[in-house]
Amino acid sequence: MRKSPVIPPQKTKVIVLAGFLGAGKTTLLKRILSWETDLSGTVVIVNEFGAVGIDGSLLADAGSDVVELTSGCVCCSLQADLNQTLKKIRERFSPVRIIIEATGVADPTAIVGVFQDAELQAHMAVEKIITVLDADFWEVRECLGTLFFRQLRDADLILLNKIDTVDPGSVPLILKELHE
């Protein structure tokens, strides 16, 4: 008698939204959640650095489950909280995907590091790091420090946002420099 093959359960896909403060991460997230596609099974984790979760309240009407982590950054002081939150989300919701909107001061590599936990690794996989870049920031990038460059370096996809706020002729140069 032939045994049926054991099909491993699908891992939860994790998408990390990164980007410096004010780049447009929440706006992007709201647009994603408004798409006319099946987003059931999606859980959103919003990381607020301050004590008041502003982004979470903006997303409350989006129809997905929103979990807020406040008073710290998921890449540093809240790493243990993120780990426990992800485990609880898996148990409670068994999501198809999780979108983590990181605070603007988060290092995406440190967030991805949380998924080195054996239990999380068995059930979840980081699919993509998407960094939203405010076009205005490119001109002053040297003043923004190494975190700004890590967010760009570690991205699988960079979305150049707010191009309507810069000289249209500078957009090709920004894109060229980003590719370099």
Side-chain angles (χ1 to χ4, degrees):
M1 180 178 219
R2 263 179 68 191
K3 283 187 172 181
S4 298
V6 176
I7 301 171
Q10 187 79 350
K11 287 187 176 186
T12 299
K13 296 175 184 167
V14 179
I15 299 168
V16 178
L17 292 180
F20 216 66
L21 300 162
K25 297 175 300 292
T26 301
T27 301
L28 172 63
L29 182 56
K30 287 179 75 169
R31 289 203 179 168
I32 290 169
L33 295 175
S34 72
W35 290 347
E36 291 188 22
T37 188
D38 182 13
L39 290 174
S40 61
T42 300
V43 173
V44 177
I45 298 175
V46 178
N47 178 215
E48 288 295 325
F49 192 71
V52 179
I54 297 169
D55 287 353
S57 64
L58 291 172
L59 296 166
D61 297 330
S64 292
D65 294 300
V66 177
V67 177
E68 287 183 277
L69 294 174
T70 59
S71 298
C73 175
V74 292
C75 69
C76 7
S77 61
L78 290 181
Q79 270 194 319
D81 287 347
L82 177 60
N83 181 296
Q84 290 305 308
T85 297
L86 288 164
K87 290 175 181 176
K88 287 176 185 174
I89 286 171
R90 186 183 74 73
E91 290 171 14
R92 182 172 176 201
F93 299 108
S94 298
V96 174
R97 80 188 56 74
I98 296 173
I99 301 173
I100 301 173
E101 181 195 354
T103 179
V105 293
D107 181 347
T109 303
I111 295 169
V112 171
V114 171
F115 293 91
Q116 297 306 308
D117 175 276
E119 183 181 342
L120 292 178
Q121 206 169 44
H123 299 284
M124 298 178 183
V126 176
E127 185 176 52
K128 227 180 237 348
I129 297 173
I130 300 171
T131 297
V132 182
L133 170 62
D134 181 336
D136 280 336
F137 290 172
W138 192 248
E139 192 172 306
V140 296
R141 64 190 174 274
E142 298 303 326
C143 301
L144 298 176
T146 57
L147 172 64
F148 176 80
F149 292 103
R150 279 196 309 266
Q151 289 177 343
L152 295 172
R153 180 198 67 210
D154 298 338
D156 297 301
L157 174 66
I158 298 172
L159 297 177
L160 185 59
N161 194 23
K162 302 182 184 181
I163 60 171
D164 58 325
T165 64
V166 297
D167 172 32
S170 68
V171 173
L173 178 61
I174 294 171
L175 292 172
K176 178 182 179 286
E177 290 174 347
L178 274 170
H179 284 282
E180 291 172 355

